[in-house]
């Protein structure tokens, strides 16, 4: 028996064939996102971190989509379709061909437990490496009502007793079955094949494997995981609970790594959000996928950021939206009520307020005035706006792409720029102002006459 887990191979069987009836959804529940990622992808990621490279996906509904969601460069997946629903043991046997290849360890997990981490998975495999036949992952809870109880004597797992079958003393046990388990791969098929269906539902329950093992002279133990890691999902309400728990855990990790969050409970992260130390995040900020923020940046309240890179000491918001492709240089600023999409904002450049920058390159130290718009879309194609370094774009300017504005150039406020502007030039692109003396009096008189006529007609 190899006592070192790292020298043993392992097959993980993910059970994800449920109909998801209680989710009231048009798609499989394991496709529903947690932190912007399908929940089954979280499970696969935990398996990969635990050093498991082979996974058997037991699928039913939306099999193709679930298979795609479970793809991970660190693992190799095989797909096994479960056509009947005859209990968890029967579901595992849908992957019989994979199990029969002869792994040292077989790990059984569920596709709807996205909070699981690699620690309990490794602990379960460590038990197998020491010669145990079955290791059940359990949890302690203040309220065990409804859970199967783990009956442990002298370190041995004697049985898993369902609530309806438990004695009064057994119901007082707070050590409960989490559903996940590891099985000696050389014995897995034989043990599971020996599980019967002598129960009210006529189903084959994987939990009965403990009694099968003990009846054959084998050994079973339980290892403990935090209760929240084993939280499963059957309804939208439970999905919301899982999201809350995931967010709490990741926020705490980030704050312990040196990120400041003024009101952490109002900050929402994605599974791949990367934030370096000494970043400050004010309340009510949402991060979609693909965000990286470097040290010293400040994110003001009510900002929505996805697919963006924010360099050191940059400032965003409040009420800013950064869309995919936004790349903010060191010390740059995108201020309140601004939107940036697929654009490079140079070092120290400022896009302070009420502005849309899309498909653009802005040089360092350039100032973009309030109300500026890069007119990047002609109804069919997107076009690029290029603005050099140390330029000044006056307020309420429209830059009609494709257009290039040189280094140090000035754009007069209110201009509609349709031609390139050379370095250090000043561009005026607006109609000449004319003042009509006394015309306002005539307009007011006309408007009042119209109003009086409408009132008389109504009478």
């Amino acid at each position: 028996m190899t006592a070192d887990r790292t020298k043993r191979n392992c097959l993980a069987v993910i059970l994800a064939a449920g109909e998801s009836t209680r989710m009231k959804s048009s798609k499989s529940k394991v496709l529903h996102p947690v932190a912007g990622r399908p929940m089954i992808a979280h499970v696969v990621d935990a398996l990969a971190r635990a050093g498991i490279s082979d996974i058997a996906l037991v699928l039913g509904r939306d099999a193709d989509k679930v298979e795609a969601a479970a793809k991970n460069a660190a693992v190799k997946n095989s797909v096994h379709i479960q056509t009947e629903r005859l209990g968890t043991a029967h579901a595992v046997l849908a992957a019989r061909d994979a199990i029969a290849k002869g792994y040292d360890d077989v790990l059984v997990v569920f596709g709807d437990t996205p909070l699981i981490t690699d620690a309990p998975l490794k602990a379960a495999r460590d038990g197998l490496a020491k010669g145990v036949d079955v290791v059940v992952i359990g949890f302690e809870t203040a309220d065990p009502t409804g859970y199967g109880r783990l009956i442990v004597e002298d370190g041995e797992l004697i049985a898993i007793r369902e609530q309806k079958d438990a004695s009064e003393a057994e119901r007082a046990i707070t050590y409960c079955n989490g559903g996940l388990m590891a099985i000696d791969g050389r014995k897995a098929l034989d043990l599971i094949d020996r599980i019967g269906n002598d129960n009210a539902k006529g189903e084959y329950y994987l939990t009965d494997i403990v009694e099968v093992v003990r009846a054959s002279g084998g050994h079973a133990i339980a290892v403990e995981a935090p209760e929240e890691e084993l939280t499963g999902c059957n309804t939208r309400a439970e999905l919301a609970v899982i999201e809350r728990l995931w967010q709490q855990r990741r926020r705490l990790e980030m704050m312990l790594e040196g990120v400041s969050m003024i009101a952490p409970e109002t900050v929402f992260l994605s599974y791949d959000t990367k934030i370096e130390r000494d970043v400050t995040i004010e309340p009510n900020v949402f991060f979609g996928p693909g965000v990286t923020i470097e040290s010293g940046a400040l994110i003001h309240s009510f900002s929505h950021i996805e697919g963006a890179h924010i360099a050191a000491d940059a400032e965003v918001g409040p009420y800013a939206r950064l869309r995919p492709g936004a790349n903010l240089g060191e010390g740059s600023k995108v201020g309140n009520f601004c939107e940036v999409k697929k654009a490079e904002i140079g070092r120290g450049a400022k896009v302070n307020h009420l502005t849309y920058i899309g498909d653009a390159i802005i040089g360092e130290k350039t100032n973009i005035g309030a109300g500026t718009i890069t007119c990047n879309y002609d109804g069919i194609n997107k076009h690029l706006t290029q603005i050099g370094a140390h330029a000044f774009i006056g307020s309420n300017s429209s830059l009609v792409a494709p257009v290039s504005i040189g280094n140090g150039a000035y754009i007069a406020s209110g201009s509609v720029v349709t031609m390139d502007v050379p370095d250090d030039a000043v561009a005026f692109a607006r109609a000449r102002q004319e003042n009509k003396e006394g015309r306002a009096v005539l307009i007011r008189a006309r408007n009042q006459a119209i109003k009086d006529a409408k009132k008389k007609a109504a009478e």
Side-chain angles (χ1 to χ4, degrees):
M1 182 62 62
T2 303
D4 186 351
R5 161 178 43 84
T6 62
K7 296 179 180 179
R8 296 166 63 90
N9 59 23
C10 179
L11 172 72
V13 179
I14 301 181
L15 304 184
E19 291 295 328
S20 311
T21 305
R22 283 182 283 172
M23 287 293 285
K24 300 289 193 289
S25 176
S26 60
K27 63 184 178 182
S28 169
K29 68 178 175 182
V30 301
L31 293 174
H32 285 262
V34 173
R37 187 186 204 186
M39 65 175 76
I40 194 169
H42 289 275
V43 177
V44 172
D45 188 56
L47 292 169
R49 291 197 305 272
I52 297 163
S53 58
D54 291 346
I55 293 177
L57 299 167
V58 177
L59 307 178
R61 181 182 184 187
D62 295 327
D64 292 344
K65 294 178 181 178
V66 175
E67 179 186 5
K71 283 186 177 179
N72 185 307
V75 302
K76 181 174 65 177
N77 293 336
S78 61
V79 174
H80 309 268
I81 302 301
Q82 183 185 3
T83 57
E84 295 181 280
R85 307 288 185 269
L86 298 176
T88 48
H90 179 264
V92 173
L93 288 177
R96 179 185 293 274
D97 291 346
I99 299 171
K101 291 181 180 179
Y103 291 87
D104 296 318
D105 306 337
V106 172
L107 193 62
V108 180
V109 300
F110 298 101
D112 66 344
T113 56
L115 298 176
I116 191 68
T117 66
D118 57 314
L121 305 178
K122 291 175 178 176
R125 292 190 63 205
D126 286 338
L128 296 183
K130 294 174 183 177
V132 176
D133 299 302
V134 171
V135 182
V136 173
I137 299 177
F139 63 96
E140 284 283 352
T141 181
D143 181 10
T145 305
Y147 294 112
R149 309 305 203 274
L150 299 183
I151 314 299
V152 179
E153 294 181 5
D154 298 325
E156 288 270 334
L157 179 60
I158 306 301
I160 302 175
R161 193 83 72 225
E162 296 303 323
Q163 166 122 353
K164 63 182 183 301
D165 301 320
S167 66
E168 185 174 347
E170 289 170 340
R171 290 186 180 188
I173 294 172
T174 56
Y175 196 18
C176 299
N177 176 34
L180 286 65
M181 68 173 64
I183 309 169
D184 185 329
R186 298 164 303 170
K187 302 177 182 179
L189 285 178
D190 177 61
L191 292 173
I192 299 172
D193 278 331
R194 289 162 60 187
I195 294 174
N197 66 341
D198 185 16
N199 53 64
K201 291 188 175 181
E203 294 186 351
Y204 300 87
Y205 298 130
L206 190 59
T207 50
D208 290 345
I209 198 172
V210 174
E211 295 182 23
V212 170
V213 165
R214 290 186 57 79
S216 63
H219 299 279
I221 63 171
V223 295
E224 186 177 346
E227 182 178 0
E228 77 168 41
E229 289 195 23
L230 301 175
T231 305
C233 182
N234 291 301
T235 66
R236 306 284 182 144
E238 290 172 350
L239 180 63
V241 169
I242 288 171
E243 181 74 34
R244 174 174 56 80
L245 293 171
W246 190 96
Q247 294 289 343
Q248 287 175 346
R249 183 167 73 187
R250 188 66 187 115
R251 292 175 195 132
L252 178 59
E253 290 171 351
M254 284 192 172
M255 288 187 287
L256 293 177
E257 291 166 359
V259 176
S260 292
M261 298 184 188
I262 295 173
E265 69 279 4
T266 69
V267 175
F268 290 87
L269 307 161
S270 272
Y271 71 96
D272 62 349
T273 305
K274 298 175 183 176
I275 305 177
E276 295 182 358
R277 65 177 58 186
D278 293 322
V279 169
T280 298
I281 303 172
E282 292 182 350
N284 299 297
V285 175
F286 180 89
F287 296 100
V291 174
T292 298
I293 306 177
E294 296 182 9
S295 179
L298 171 60
I299 312 300
H300 291 291
S301 295
F302 298 101
S303 294
H304 188 290
I305 304 170
E306 62 178 317
H309 184 280
I310 301 170
D313 301 316
E315 187 174 349
V316 177
Y319 294 96
R321 185 182 182 196
L322 302 185
R323 291 169 56 193
N327 189 354
L328 276 58
E330 182 179 350
S332 63
K333 180 179 179 182
V334 172
N336 48 291
F337 302 103
C338 291
E339 180 175 346
V340 176
K341 167 252 174 189
K342 198 178 178 181
E344 301 280 337
I345 309 298
R347 179 177 178 272
K350 290 181 171 56
V351 184
N352 277 319
H353 30 223
L354 301 163
T355 292
Y356 170 72
I357 301 294
D359 297 278
I361 299 174
I362 297 175
E364 67 173 37
K365 299 291 185 178
T366 283
N367 185 86
I368 308 295
T372 295
I373 299 172
T374 55
C375 306
N376 56 331
Y377 185 49
D378 64 7
I380 299 175
N381 298 307
K382 299 290 179 69
H383 300 281
L384 180 67
T385 298
Q386 298 187 71
I387 305 173
H390 301 277
F392 182 92
I393 310 301
S395 297
N396 201 35
S397 293
S398 295
L399 312 178
V400 183
V403 69
S404 178
I405 297 169
N407 297 322
Y410 273 62
I411 305 299
S413 296
S415 293
V416 179
V417 178
T418 59
M419 297 185 298
D420 292 350
V421 179
D423 292 352
D424 297 318
V426 177
F428 294 86
R430 60 194 184 199
R432 182 179 297 277
Q433 180 174 324
E434 291 186 34
N435 296 331
K436 303 294 184 179
E437 297 290 340
R439 182 67 62 85
V441 176
L442 298 177
I443 291 173
R444 284 195 294 272
R446 182 195 65 187
N447 290 344
Q448 186 62 48
I450 294 171
K451 188 183 298 184
D452 292 343
K454 286 182 178 180
K455 182 178 180 181
K456 186 175 181 179
E459 294 173 350

